[in-house]
Amino acid sequence: MTSGAQHSDGPAVQPLRSDAERNRERIIAAARTVFARDGLNASMASVAREAGVGIATMFRRFPTKEELVDAVFSDRMGAYADVVSVALDDPDPWNGFVGYIEAACAMQAADSGFADILTMTFPAAKVLERRRNEAYEAMVRLIGRAKATGRLREDFDPSDLVLLHMANAGVVNATGDAAPDAWRRVVALMIQSLEAPARGPLPASPRHEALYEAMLRAGQGTTPASGKGG
């Protein structure tokens, strides 16, 4: 009798854990689809609809949009960091630098959500931000190497990469399916403008603190408790 009670109680808990994990994976998969299509301004409710779960289930699994963004894009940011590593391994630093820009911008073009990720910061998304910081440190080394060859203009600043990604994200989000390859021309124009010798001096770059504040503000704009709206 006791043994029977234990047998009937055991399986009762396991399906709840399995259901919770299935719901979590379903939500992450749905968020990848929705964010890739609509960008990070897509609401949490639209993700819940895509996943086929209720909004209450959504917020039990991911209480904030930042946590969902972390789960969806931490692996994508890891792939982005790999792009920087590949660029650093190139024996020709300028070629590595150009390859990095082209590859990173292609990642933005392929995924509207990721197009936004590179122009925003999410302090609560710990894994995402750690990988971003690692990639940034590698990019600083990449820029130094490209300058040392004399091919990258001397007044190029690491913050200019953020501005470049902001410009590319704007083109990707504005052109969409209507002109899906427009970003390639814009990126080529920007790369050509970066090569030394420079035609003239650039205006001062934005302070790093100011740029971080802009990225933070942009990230906060995607995470209203709005996520509960349609």
Side-chain angles (χ1 to χ4, degrees), residues 98-122:
V98 170
Y100 153 73
I101 291 177
E102 291 174 341
C105 288
M107 290 178 72
Q108 285 186 295
D111 186 328
S112 290
F114 193 72
D116 293 336
I117 283 290
L118 291 185
T119 67
M120 301 175 182
T121 191
F122 304 88

Side-chain angles (χ1 to χ4, degrees), residues 53-97:
V53 301
I55 196 67
T57 297
M58 161 71 76
F59 281 100
R60 275 198 301 274
R61 301 281 75 82
F62 297 99
T64 69
K65 195 171 186 180
E66 283 192 333
E67 291 177 62
L68 180 58
V69 166
D70 202 10
V72 170
F73 289 106
S74 59
D75 62 335
R76 221 59 75 83
M77 188 59 78
Y80 170 74
D82 289 342
V83 166
V84 185
S85 295
V86 168
L88 277 170
D89 288 339
D90 194 308
D92 181 339
W94 170 253
N95 189 63
F97 178 75

Side-chain angles (χ1 to χ4, degrees), residues 20-56:
E21 182 58 28
R22 280 197 298 271
N23 282 338
R24 185 178 188 279
E25 293 306 316
R26 188 181 301 139
I27 290 166
I28 291 173
R32 284 199 174 104
T33 298
V34 172
F35 290 153
R37 182 185 66 222
D38 302 330
L40 294 189
N41 283 321
S43 69
M44 294 283 271
S46 65
V47 174
R49 284 195 297 271
E50 179 75 21
V53 301
I55 196 67

Side-chain angles (χ1 to χ4, degrees), residues 182-196:
W183 68 273
R184 296 183 185 278
R185 184 174 178 87
V186 174
V187 169
L189 288 168
M190 288 190 285
I191 288 172
Q192 290 180 31
S193 74
L194 300 178
E195 191 169 7

